[in-house]
Amino acid sequence: MVEFGNLSYDEQVARLTELAHVVLEAYGLSSEDYGLSCVSHWQNSTFRVDVLRGELAGRYALRINRPVSQNVATIRSELQWLDALNRDTKLHVPKPIKQRNGDLLTSIYTRQVEETRHCVLFKWIEGEFLDGELTPRHMILVGEFMAKLHNHSASFESPAGFIRNNLEWAGQMRTFYEEKELDSSPAISKDTWTLFHQVRTRVEPRMCALGNESSTFGLIHNDIYQKNMLFHQGQVRVLDFDNCGWAHYLLDIAVTLAQVRKHPDYLAKRNALLTGYRNYRMFSDDEEQLLDEFIAARIMLLALYMASQIENEQMKAKAPAYVVTVAEDLRRWMAGGRIYG
C-alpha cells in the first residue's frame, strides 16, 4: 500500500473520508444517517456532516488533526477553553459535540492513514467567508470580537492539566525556526535565509522584552484570518482554535493584519480593526508601534511553514511564490520601508 504522504491530494481525501465514517460511529451514526463532504484538506482536514435523522439531526464540522500538529492533552485543553468561551461569553465560536460515551475527542488509527488521528465534531457555524469583499466595517467587527476574546483570556483560569504552547520566541517560534533551518528547504535560498536571520535578530529580543503580564499576554486564537472568519447577520464568527496558545495579544492582531497587507485599502482596514478593538479593550500607542515587528515574525514563520509542507501537493506548489513575496516584503521593511502593499 502506498504511504499516505506519497498519495495525491484526492487520494489522501479519499482515505480520510473512510476514516471519517469510522469516527462518526462513535456518535451512534451509520453512513445511511448522514451526508459527508470534505470542505478543507490543508493543515488539518475538515468534513461537513449533514445528519438527516435522530437526536443529532443537523449540520456539523468534523475536524481530523494532522498527526504532528497537536496531541491529546493539547486538544483537550483547546476544548476546555472553547467550553469556557461558550459558557461565559456571547462570542460565536465552535461548540464541540460529545460522543455516546460523553467524550469530546476521538483518537483513531486505520491502516489506510497509518498514523493515529485525533478528531473532534463541532456544531456547524453558518456564515460567509470574505476576502476581497472584506471592508473596514467588517474589520471593526473583527477588532471587537478580538478584544472580547482577549478580555476573557485575561480572566481565564486554566484548569489543572491545561497545556497549550507558548507561541512566541520563548517557545514555539524559536523551536520551529531552528527546526526549519536544519531542514534547509529547497524553496528557501541562501540569500533568503540571510534575510530571515536579520529579521529574527531584530524582532526576537523586542518581543521577548515585553514580559508576560496578564494585561498584555494570555491565550490567543493565533489564526484569525479570512478562512477562519465567517460573517452572518451583522456578526463575525471565528472558527478553528487548533492553533490557540499563549502569546502577547499583539500577535493575534498581527496575524489578522498580515493576511490583508496586500489589500489596496490595508491602512483603512488596519485602522478599523484597531478602532473596533479599542471599543472594548485598551490598546496603547506603544503597542501599536510594535505591530509591524509581530507582522514580520508572523509572515516569516508562515513562509517557513509553507516551504516545509511536502505531503500536501497544493501547499507544496504554492510555497516558492509565497516565500518570494514574503522575502520582498521583509527586505523592504528592513530597509526602512513599509511591510504592507
Side-chain angles (χ1 to χ4, degrees):
M1 179 180 294
V2 179
E3 291 185 1
F4 186 84
N6 294 328
L7 296 171
S8 70
Y9 179 92
D10 290 339
E11 290 169 332
Q12 289 182 0
V13 169
R15 289 198 187 178
L16 289 169
T17 300
E18 293 303 312
L19 183 143
H21 286 302
V22 178
V23 172
L24 292 171
E25 292 176 3
Y27 295 85
L29 298 170
S30 63
S31 57
E32 294 80 16
D33 296 327
Y34 59 84
L36 184 67
S37 58
C38 182
V39 296
S40 176
H41 175 50
W42 186 249
Q43 298 182 53
N44 299 324
S45 303
T46 303
F47 288 81
R48 193 179 87 181
V49 186
D50 292 294
V51 181
L52 308 174
R53 59 183 70 86
E55 294 181 2
L56 286 179
R59 182 169 292 173
Y60 302 88
L62 176 65
R63 187 185 76 196
I64 301 175
N65 275 69
R66 290 176 301 138
V68 298
S69 62
Q70 303 292 345
N71 57 42
V72 169
T74 59
I75 295 173
R76 290 197 186 282
S77 298
E78 171 204 351
L79 300 180
Q80 287 175 316
W81 190 30
L82 284 172
D83 180 63
L85 286 167
N86 277 289
R87 182 185 65 242
D88 301 337
T89 76
K90 295 182 180 180
L91 297 175
H92 292 276
V93 299
K95 182 178 179 60
I97 303 300
K98 292 181 179 180
Q99 304 171 21
R100 287 180 299 178
N101 65 6
D103 203 346
L104 294 172
L105 178 65
T106 305
S107 296
I108 189 166
Y109 168 86
T110 65
R111 189 169 60 90
Q112 289 79 9
V113 179
E114 298 162 357
E115 296 179 272
T116 298
R117 302 292 175 119
H118 306 302
C119 312
V120 183
L121 187 69
F122 297 99
K123 188 70 179 175
W124 187 266
I125 298 179
E126 297 292 343
E128 182 182 6
F129 294 110
L130 302 176
D131 187 13
E133 305 88 353
L134 194 68
T135 68
R137 175 56 194 159
H138 293 120
M139 294 298 279
I140 289 177
L141 297 176
V142 175
E144 291 178 345
F145 176 99
M146 203 179 293
K148 294 174 185 178
L149 184 77
H150 296 167
N151 285 338
H152 182 273
S153 173
S155 62
F156 177 68
E157 295 184 7
S158 55
F162 188 93
I163 302 173
R164 294 299 301 187
N165 287 330
N166 181 312
L167 302 173
E168 294 189 15
W169 288 105
Q172 186 169 286
M173 282 187 179
R174 179 180 297 134
T175 299
F176 182 78
Y177 184 97
E178 292 173 355
E179 285 177 351
K180 300 313 164 192
E181 187 176 16
L182 291 174
D183 289 346
S184 300
S185 168
I188 303 178
S189 69
K190 183 178 179 180
D191 286 346
T192 300
W193 267 119
T194 298
L195 171 66
F196 285 178
H197 292 325
Q198 293 169 346
V199 172
R200 177 185 174 178
T201 298
R202 173 173 170 175
V203 303
E204 179 177 4
R206 298 184 188 189
M207 294 173 73
C208 290
L210 292 175
N212 295 344
E213 297 296 326
S214 61
S215 59
T216 58
F217 185 95
L219 280 174
I220 70 166
H221 181 282
N222 194 40
D223 239 356
I224 301 178
Y225 74 113
Q226 291 92 308
K227 289 186 178 180
N228 285 332
M229 300 186 297
L230 289 167
F231 293 88
H232 186 67
Q233 297 179 348
Q235 300 171 327
V236 63
R237 302 167 172 202
V238 174
L239 310 176
D240 193 7
F241 278 65
D242 179 60
N243 286 322
C244 70
W246 303 100
H248 290 96
Y249 299 126
L250 269 167
L251 183 58
D252 246 356
I253 299 172
V255 166
T256 304
L257 294 178
Q259 294 300 123
V260 299
R261 74 186 191 282
K262 294 297 185 183
H263 290 198
D265 58 347
Y266 168 78
L267 287 179
K269 286 174 177 167
R270 174 182 171 129
N271 291 335
L273 184 145
L274 296 181
T275 295
Y277 193 90
R278 286 173 169 138
N279 285 340
Y280 288 91
R281 185 172 175 83
M282 290 290 296
F283 187 72
S284 70
D285 291 341
D286 289 341
E287 289 176 295
E288 186 172 351
Q289 291 298 315
L290 289 169
L291 262 176
D292 285 354
E293 310 282 337
F294 280 77
I295 292 172
R298 167 69 177 188
I299 63 176
M300 177 178 70
L301 291 162
L302 192 55
L304 291 175
Y305 173 79
M306 289 285 289
S308 69
Q309 297 307 295
I310 58 175
E311 287 191 359
N312 188 307
E313 61 185 25
Q314 292 188 358
M315 294 179 72
K316 184 177 179 180
K318 293 179 179 180
Y322 185 80
V323 171
V324 168
T325 297
V326 166
E328 289 173 350
D329 291 347
L330 290 174
R331 194 170 282 111
R332 182 177 63 243
W333 177 67
M334 289 290 288
R338 62 192 191 187
I339 204 165
Y340 60 91

